[in-house]
Amino acid sequence: MPRVAKILAVDDEPELADLMHYHLVRAGHEVTTAANGWEAIHAVRTNRPDIILLDLMLPDLDGFGVCEILRRDPATATIPIIIVSAWASADSRNLGLELGALDYITKPFSPAELVARVNHLLHARAG
């Protein structure tokens, strides 16, 4: 059984944020949400989540910018990021991974797959 993780789900679509929240809480995790890039950065610095689920298309600062800011800050540089985006192009995926994301899930996604990837990442990082 994977350990309980503090997860930050960042998505400006309330239905998707609620979907991620629901399934991850059912899997035993503690989940908070943010609806835009700057709110996400503040939440990361305040709450220090174990994993960040990050949409790319956000209304103020896009997910690429959030990823870059978090990776440049030594206090947040090692927090795992999984991008969850409707952008399915290889360029978007490659850029996200180059900026430091550890995984990339394309919307629409299977909630079971999302939970499985989060749990896999937690297990892998636990060593």
Side-chain angles (χ1 to χ4, degrees):
M1 178 78 180
R3 71 176 182 83
V4 174
K6 291 191 325 185
I7 299 170
L8 174 64
V10 184
D11 202 303
D12 63 323
E13 296 180 48
E15 300 81 19
L16 284 176
D18 289 348
L19 179 73
M20 289 188 281
H21 183 275
Y22 174 79
H23 286 281
L24 290 164
V25 167
R26 277 191 65 206
H29 301 298
E30 187 180 312
V31 182
T32 56
T33 61
N36 64 59
W38 291 112
E39 185 180 335
I41 290 168
H42 176 72
V44 170
R45 290 178 175 159
T46 304
N47 301 323
R48 302 281 304 158
D50 297 305
I51 295 179
I52 302 163
L53 303 174
L54 180 62
D55 185 19
L56 293 178
M57 293 184 277
L58 298 170
D60 56 354
L61 175 66
D62 70 22
F64 294 124
V66 171
C67 196
E68 192 170 12
I69 289 168
L70 293 175
R71 288 298 174 248
R72 288 185 181 182
D73 181 347
T76 60
T78 61
I79 299 172
I81 296 173
I82 299 174
I83 292 175
V84 182
S85 178
W87 289 349
S89 74
D91 288 344
S92 295
R93 180 181 299 269
N94 291 338
L95 181 56
L97 296 173
E98 285 173 17
L99 288 173
L102 296 181
D103 201 352
Y104 194 108
I105 299 172
T106 304
K107 294 177 188 177
F109 57 87
S110 155
E113 179 184 4
L114 178 75
V115 170
R117 289 199 193 190
V118 165
N119 288 341
H120 176 76
L121 183 58
L122 287 169
H123 178 73
R125 292 188 65 84

PDB file of all heavy atoms in Angstrom, residues 56-75:
ATOM      1  N   LEU A  56      -1.287  22.555 -17.998  1.00  0.00           N
ATOM      2  CA  LEU A  56      -0.458  23.532 -18.718  1.00  0.00           C
ATOM      3  C   LEU A  56      -1.225  24.794 -19.080  1.00  0.00           C
ATOM      4  O   LEU A  56      -0.670  25.884 -19.076  1.00  0.00           O
ATOM      5  CB  LEU A  56       0.120  22.902 -19.991  1.00  0.00           C
ATOM      6  CG  LEU A  56       1.132  21.791 -19.764  1.00  0.00           C
ATOM      7  CD1 LEU A  56       1.582  21.213 -21.108  1.00  0.00           C
ATOM      8  CD2 LEU A  56       2.327  22.286 -18.959  1.00  0.00           C
ATOM      9  N   MET A  57      -2.507  24.655 -19.409  1.00  0.00           N
ATOM     10  CA  MET A  57      -3.298  25.800 -19.850  1.00  0.00           C
ATOM     11  C   MET A  57      -3.995  26.429 -18.652  1.00  0.00           C
ATOM     12  O   MET A  57      -5.085  26.026 -18.268  1.00  0.00           O
ATOM     13  CB  MET A  57      -4.317  25.359 -20.900  1.00  0.00           C
ATOM     14  CG  MET A  57      -3.671  24.917 -22.187  1.00  0.00           C
ATOM     15  SD  MET A  57      -4.850  24.508 -23.482  1.00  0.00           S
ATOM     16  CE  MET A  57      -5.267  22.835 -23.049  1.00  0.00           C
ATOM     17  N   LEU A  58      -3.311  27.406 -18.064  1.00  0.00           N
ATOM     18  CA  LEU A  58      -3.841  28.105 -16.899  1.00  0.00           C
ATOM     19  C   LEU A  58      -4.054  29.568 -17.258  1.00  0.00           C
ATOM     20  O   LEU A  58      -3.356  30.102 -18.126  1.00  0.00           O
ATOM     21  CB  LEU A  58      -2.875  27.971 -15.719  1.00  0.00           C
ATOM     22  CG  LEU A  58      -2.647  26.537 -15.229  1.00  0.00           C
ATOM     23  CD1 LEU A  58      -1.504  26.488 -14.227  1.00  0.00           C
ATOM     24  CD2 LEU A  58      -3.919  25.976 -14.618  1.00  0.00           C
ATOM     25  N   PRO A  59      -4.980  30.251 -16.586  1.00  0.00           N
ATOM     26  CA  PRO A  59      -5.354  31.602 -17.004  1.00  0.00           C
ATOM     27  C   PRO A  59      -4.318  32.701 -16.798  1.00  0.00           C
ATOM     28  O   PRO A  59      -4.356  33.695 -17.496  1.00  0.00           O
ATOM     29  CB  PRO A  59      -6.612  31.895 -16.181  1.00  0.00           C
ATOM     30  CG  PRO A  59      -6.571  30.954 -15.039  1.00  0.00           C
ATOM     31  CD  PRO A  59      -5.810  29.755 -15.503  1.00  0.00           C
ATOM     32  N   ASP A  60      -3.397  32.566 -15.877  1.00  0.00           N
ATOM     33  CA  ASP A  60      -2.458  33.666 -15.641  1.00  0.00           C
ATOM     34  C   ASP A  60      -1.032  33.287 -16.037  1.00  0.00           C
ATOM     35  O   ASP A  60      -0.451  33.861 -16.943  1.00  0.00           O
ATOM     36  CB  ASP A  60      -2.522  34.135 -14.183  1.00  0.00           C
ATOM     37  CG  ASP A  60      -2.268  33.022 -13.177  1.00  0.00           C
ATOM     38  OD1 ASP A  60      -2.146  31.850 -13.588  1.00  0.00           O
ATOM     39  OD2 ASP A  60      -2.191  33.315 -11.973  1.00  0.00           O
ATOM     40  N   LEU A  61      -0.480  32.326 -15.385  1.00  0.00           N
ATOM     41  CA  LEU A  61       0.866  31.832 -15.650  1.00  0.00           C
ATOM     42  C   LEU A  61       0.698  30.375 -16.068  1.00  0.00           C
ATOM     43  O   LEU A  61       0.156  29.579 -15.308  1.00  0.00           O
ATOM     44  CB  LEU A  61       1.711  31.931 -14.371  1.00  0.00           C
ATOM     45  CG  LEU A  61       3.116  31.355 -14.407  1.00  0.00           C
ATOM     46  CD1 LEU A  61       4.005  32.135 -15.377  1.00  0.00           C
ATOM     47  CD2 LEU A  61       3.720  31.379 -13.005  1.00  0.00           C
ATOM     48  N   ASP A  62       1.138  30.029 -17.282  1.00  0.00           N
ATOM     49  CA  ASP A  62       0.897  28.660 -17.741  1.00  0.00           C
ATOM     50  C   ASP A  62       1.737  27.649 -16.967  1.00  0.00           C
ATOM     51  O   ASP A  62       2.647  28.001 -16.217  1.00  0.00           O
ATOM     52  CB  ASP A  62       1.087  28.528 -19.253  1.00  0.00           C
ATOM     53  CG  ASP A  62       2.531  28.654 -19.723  1.00  0.00           C
ATOM     54  OD1 ASP A  62       3.470  28.436 -18.934  1.00  0.00           O
ATOM     55  OD2 ASP A  62       2.722  28.974 -20.910  1.00  0.00           O
ATOM     56  N   GLY A  63       1.408  26.385 -17.148  1.00  0.00           N
ATOM     57  CA  GLY A  63       2.080  25.323 -16.409  1.00  0.00           C
ATOM     58  C   GLY A  63       3.569  25.245 -16.678  1.00  0.00           C
ATOM     59  O   GLY A  63       4.343  24.880 -15.789  1.00  0.00           O
ATOM     60  N   PHE A  64       3.993  25.584 -17.907  1.00  0.00           N
ATOM     61  CA  PHE A  64       5.429  25.603 -18.196  1.00  0.00           C
ATOM     62  C   PHE A  64       6.130  26.616 -17.292  1.00  0.00           C
ATOM     63  O   PHE A  64       7.189  26.347 -16.737  1.00  0.00           O
ATOM     64  CB  PHE A  64       5.696  25.958 -19.660  1.00  0.00           C
ATOM     65  CG  PHE A  64       5.216  24.923 -20.647  1.00  0.00           C
ATOM     66  CD1 PHE A  64       4.341  25.276 -21.651  1.00  0.00           C
ATOM     67  CD2 PHE A  64       5.645  23.601 -20.580  1.00  0.00           C
ATOM     68  CE1 PHE A  64       3.901  24.345 -22.577  1.00  0.00           C
ATOM     69  CE2 PHE A  64       5.219  22.659 -21.497  1.00  0.00           C
ATOM     70  CZ  PHE A  64       4.339  23.022 -22.503  1.00  0.00           C
ATOM     71  N   GLY A  65       5.519  27.808 -17.146  1.00  0.00           N
ATOM     72  CA  GLY A  65       6.093  28.843 -16.284  1.00  0.00           C
ATOM     73  C   GLY A  65       6.124  28.421 -14.830  1.00  0.00           C
ATOM     74  O   GLY A  65       7.100  28.660 -14.125  1.00  0.00           O
ATOM     75  N   VAL A  66       5.045  27.771 -14.376  1.00  0.00           N
ATOM     76  CA  VAL A  66       4.996  27.280 -12.994  1.00  0.00           C
ATOM     77  C   VAL A  66       6.121  26.276 -12.773  1.00  0.00           C
ATOM     78  O   VAL A  66       6.868  26.361 -11.786  1.00  0.00           O
ATOM     79  CB  VAL A  66       3.627  26.632 -12.686  1.00  0.00           C
ATOM     80  CG1 VAL A  66       3.648  25.935 -11.325  1.00  0.00           C
ATOM     81  CG2 VAL A  66       2.514  27.670 -12.743  1.00  0.00           C
ATOM     82  N   CYS A  67       6.248  25.351 -13.698  1.00  0.00           N
ATOM     83  CA  CYS A  67       7.283  24.312 -13.589  1.00  0.00           C
ATOM     84  C   CYS A  67       8.671  24.950 -13.522  1.00  0.00           C
ATOM     85  O   CYS A  67       9.492  24.599 -12.675  1.00  0.00           O
ATOM     86  CB  CYS A  67       7.168  23.376 -14.782  1.00  0.00           C
ATOM     87  SG  CYS A  67       8.026  21.813 -14.590  1.00  0.00           S
ATOM     88  N   GLU A  68       8.911  25.911 -14.381  1.00  0.00           N
ATOM     89  CA  GLU A  68      10.219  26.569 -14.430  1.00  0.00           C
ATOM     90  C   GLU A  68      10.520  27.312 -13.122  1.00  0.00           C
ATOM     91  O   GLU A  68      11.623  27.204 -12.577  1.00  0.00           O
ATOM     92  CB  GLU A  68      10.257  27.527 -15.622  1.00  0.00           C
ATOM     93  CG  GLU A  68      11.620  28.039 -15.937  1.00  0.00           C
ATOM     94  CD  GLU A  68      11.673  28.787 -17.258  1.00  0.00           C
ATOM     95  OE1 GLU A  68      10.621  29.114 -17.839  1.00  0.00           O
ATOM     96  OE2 GLU A  68      12.799  29.067 -17.689  1.00  0.00           O
ATOM     97  N   ILE A  69       9.541  28.046 -12.607  1.00  0.00           N
ATOM     98  CA  ILE A  69       9.727  28.784 -11.348  1.00  0.00           C
ATOM     99  C   ILE A  69      10.004  27.827 -10.194  1.00  0.00           C
ATOM    100  O   ILE A  69      10.921  28.046  -9.391  1.00  0.00           O
ATOM    101  CB  ILE A  69       8.498  29.670 -11.047  1.00  0.00           C
ATOM    102  CG1 ILE A  69       8.472  30.852 -12.032  1.00  0.00           C
ATOM    103  CG2 ILE A  69       8.500  30.148  -9.596  1.00  0.00           C
ATOM    104  CD1 ILE A  69       7.169  31.634 -12.016  1.00  0.00           C
ATOM    105  N   LEU A  70       9.249  26.746 -10.120  1.00  0.00           N
ATOM    106  CA  LEU A  70       9.435  25.793  -9.025  1.00  0.00           C
ATOM    107  C   LEU A  70      10.782  25.083  -9.114  1.00  0.00           C
ATOM    108  O   LEU A  70      11.417  24.816  -8.094  1.00  0.00           O
ATOM    109  CB  LEU A  70       8.298  24.773  -9.004  1.00  0.00           C
ATOM    110  CG  LEU A  70       6.919  25.340  -8.660  1.00  0.00           C
ATOM    111  CD1 LEU A  70       5.859  24.253  -8.784  1.00  0.00           C
ATOM    112  CD2 LEU A  70       6.898  25.974  -7.286  1.00  0.00           C
ATOM    113  N   ARG A  71      11.233  24.789 -10.314  1.00  0.00           N
ATOM    114  CA  ARG A  71      12.510  24.093 -10.484  1.00  0.00           C
ATOM    115  C   ARG A  71      13.702  25.007 -10.186  1.00  0.00           C
ATOM    116  O   ARG A  71      14.754  24.531  -9.790  1.00  0.00           O
ATOM    117  CB  ARG A  71      12.642  23.520 -11.903  1.00  0.00           C
ATOM    118  CG  ARG A  71      11.749  22.323 -12.137  1.00  0.00           C
ATOM    119  CD  ARG A  71      12.143  21.193 -11.200  1.00  0.00           C
ATOM    120  NE  ARG A  71      11.234  20.070 -11.274  1.00  0.00           N
ATOM    121  CZ  ARG A  71      10.420  19.705 -10.295  1.00  0.00           C
ATOM    122  NH1 ARG A  71      10.374  20.380  -9.167  1.00  0.00           N
ATOM    123  NH2 ARG A  71       9.649  18.659 -10.416  1.00  0.00           N
ATOM    124  N   ARG A  72      13.562  26.299 -10.354  1.00  0.00           N
ATOM    125  CA  ARG A  72      14.659  27.242 -10.070  1.00  0.00           C
ATOM    126  C   ARG A  72      14.790  27.573  -8.589  1.00  0.00           C
ATOM    127  O   ARG A  72      15.810  28.122  -8.176  1.00  0.00           O
ATOM    128  CB  ARG A  72      14.451  28.529 -10.860  1.00  0.00           C
ATOM    129  CG  ARG A  72      14.711  28.355 -12.326  1.00  0.00           C
ATOM    130  CD  ARG A  72      14.605  29.658 -13.048  1.00  0.00           C
ATOM    131  NE  ARG A  72      14.844  29.464 -14.465  1.00  0.00           N
ATOM    132  CZ  ARG A  72      14.854  30.430 -15.338  1.00  0.00           C
ATOM    133  NH1 ARG A  72      14.634  31.683 -14.952  1.00  0.00           N
ATOM    134  NH2 ARG A  72      15.073  30.173 -16.605  1.00  0.00           N
ATOM    135  N   ASP A  73      13.776  27.261  -7.791  1.00  0.00           N
ATOM    136  CA  ASP A  73      13.786  27.561  -6.360  1.00  0.00           C
ATOM    137  C   ASP A  73      14.280  26.315  -5.612  1.00  0.00           C
ATOM    138  O   ASP A  73      13.636  25.271  -5.659  1.00  0.00           O
ATOM    139  CB  ASP A  73      12.366  27.928  -5.916  1.00  0.00           C
ATOM    140  CG  ASP A  73      12.272  28.280  -4.448  1.00  0.00           C
ATOM    141  OD1 ASP A  73      13.228  28.026  -3.687  1.00  0.00           O
ATOM    142  OD2 ASP A  73      11.208  28.808  -4.054  1.00  0.00           O
ATOM    143  N   PRO A  74      15.428  26.403  -4.924  1.00  0.00           N
ATOM    144  CA  PRO A  74      15.952  25.230  -4.219  1.00  0.00           C
ATOM    145  C   PRO A  74      14.950  24.610  -3.237  1.00  0.00           C
ATOM    146  O   PRO A  74      14.980  23.405  -3.012  1.00  0.00           O
ATOM    147  CB  PRO A  74      17.176  25.766  -3.476  1.00  0.00           C
ATOM    148  CG  PRO A  74      17.569  26.993  -4.220  1.00  0.00           C
ATOM    149  CD  PRO A  74      16.300  27.574  -4.781  1.00  0.00           C
ATOM    150  N   ALA A  75      14.053  25.406  -2.681  1.00  0.00           N
ATOM    151  CA  ALA A  75      13.077  24.897  -1.710  1.00  0.00           C
ATOM    152  C   ALA A  75      12.007  24.025  -2.362  1.00  0.00           C
ATOM    153  O   ALA A  75      11.364  23.222  -1.688  1.00  0.00           O
ATOM    154  CB  ALA A  75      12.422  26.055  -0.965  1.00  0.00           C
TER     155      ALA A  75
END
